[in-house]
Amino acid sequence: MPDAKRVYETTFIVNASLDDHQIDAVIEKVKDLIVKNGGEIRELVKWGRKRFTYTIKKKNNGFYVVIEFGAGGDIVAKLERHYFLDDSILRYLTLVLDKRALKARTAAALLAAEQPVAEAKPEEVAKPAPVAEAPPTPAAPVTTTTV
Amino acid sequence: MPYNRPSSNRQGPRGTSSQRGAAGQVRKKRTCRFCDNKEDYVDYKAEKKLQRFVSEQGRIIPKRITGTCAKHQRMLVTAIKRARHLALLPYVSDAVK
């Protein structure tokens, strides 16, 4: 299947002792490499600086970046070679997102999209009620809440 | 629930059925959290969630204790190992070192 495109997810840790623009340059390089090899970036998430649970190359912090992209299979070897050669990248992990993962991903995205709406709605409903009923009698809101 | 069965068998010859019933009530029925939430994928990036399935020393807790089903335990194990690789979870916690 030479033409078969798959969805990959690659997470890598950039040396956090670099300046922000240097980190951005490292991320740009990875992005360029993916795009130049015929991949399309679906999502790029910068987690930012995070503390390690154990030291890597005598460092306690790292800048985490997650990129989700669609591409053919040959890109992974090139990407991992790039990671390997770049000294400012401390760790990397590249995965194929299978059907299950993609399904979970879309479900999570839907949930995230729904939640703010669901949270906002009760507030909207709750706010107008006291305002509308409070002016005539102060006891009115209490009766409405018990019902 | 294959892991509840041996314990009930063990108690069988010792006590009456009423005692067994009482023991059954005391023993909390564990269910797979991922099945309950209908989650079909365990994400290695959610380290807070994974921490629940790791002991204080950083070891993976067996499914007979957490109640996770075999299918989800397998996914969980790979997720934990991936999280360890990215230093999101410890291989060995500092307390043990």
Side-chain angles (χ1 to χ4, degrees):
Chain A
M1 297 192 294
D3 283 326
K5 276 209 169 184
R6 282 174 163 175
V7 180
Y8 294 93
E9 181 187 73
T10 180
T11 309
F12 57 95
I13 306 171
V14 188
N15 186 352
S17 55
L18 297 176
D19 294 335
D20 281 351
H21 65 269
Q22 282 175 308
I23 292 173
D24 280 337
V26 172
I27 298 166
E28 264 327 294
K29 259 190 214 166
V30 174
K31 270 166 75 178
D32 266 6
L33 196 128
I34 293 169
V35 174
K36 275 183 190 159
N37 285 290
E40 46 144 357
I41 291 169
R42 290 161 53 111
E43 202 182 0
L44 190 149
V45 185
K46 291 178 194 172
W47 289 3
R49 286 179 170 82
K50 229 170 124 62
R51 220 186 136 76
F52 296 150
T53 51
Y54 55 88
T55 52
I56 300 175
K57 292 191 184 168
K58 295 183 183 171
K59 288 173 188 71
N60 282 316
N61 287 299
F63 193 99
Y64 284 72
V65 185
V66 185
I67 302 178
E68 195 182 305
F69 63 96
D74 55 333
I75 202 168
V76 178
K78 286 174 188 165
L79 192 64
E80 299 224 318
R81 180 167 166 76
H82 173 75
Y83 286 152
F84 181 72
L85 295 175
D86 196 334
D87 282 340
S88 54
I89 291 171
L90 303 175
R91 277 286 157 94
Y92 53 88
L93 177 74
T94 309
L95 302 174
V96 181
L97 293 183
D98 54 5
K99 273 184 202 163
R100 260 189 206 145
L102 285 171
K103 215 174 143 189
R105 203 58 57 94
T106 49
L110 274 175
L111 239 161
E114 268 175 32
Q115 261 182 349
V117 179
E119 276 171 22
K121 266 184 186 170
E123 278 175 35
E124 279 168 28
V125 175
K127 271 179 193 166
V131 173
E133 287 169 32
T137 48
V142 181
T143 50
T144 49
T145 47
T146 47
V147 172
Chain B
M1 297 293 104
Y3 287 95
N4 285 344
R5 234 173 267 151
S7 62
S8 64
N9 285 344
R10 222 193 308 138
Q11 282 166 349
R14 262 191 276 149
T16 63
S17 62
S18 63
Q19 277 173 324
R20 247 183 284 149
Q25 278 170 359
V26 172
R27 188 173 290 266
K28 213 171 141 195
K29 200 176 176 187
R30 284 182 238 87
T31 51
C32 174
R33 287 190 208 194
F34 299 100
C35 288
D36 289 349
N37 298 334
K38 291 187 178 163
E39 284 174 39
D40 219 14
Y41 178 69
V42 186
D43 197 353
Y44 65 92
K45 297 194 290 300
E47 81 255 40
K48 287 264 160 59
K49 258 190 191 175
L50 297 178
Q51 256 160 14
R52 266 192 246 150
F53 299 95
V54 165
S55 78
E56 268 176 48
Q57 296 153 36
R59 302 177 74 177
I60 298 168
I61 302 173
K63 70 179 172 35
R64 77 184 126 85
I65 291 166
T66 59
T68 314
C69 71
K71 181 175 135 190
H72 283 114
Q73 181 75 6
R74 265 179 270 136
M75 289 189 220
L76 187 67
V77 164
T78 50
I80 289 171
K81 286 174 181 177
R82 281 168 181 170
R84 279 177 179 169
H85 173 71
L86 290 169
L88 299 172
L89 287 180
Y91 281 102
V92 183
S93 87
D94 291 332
V96 184
K97 279 182 212 164

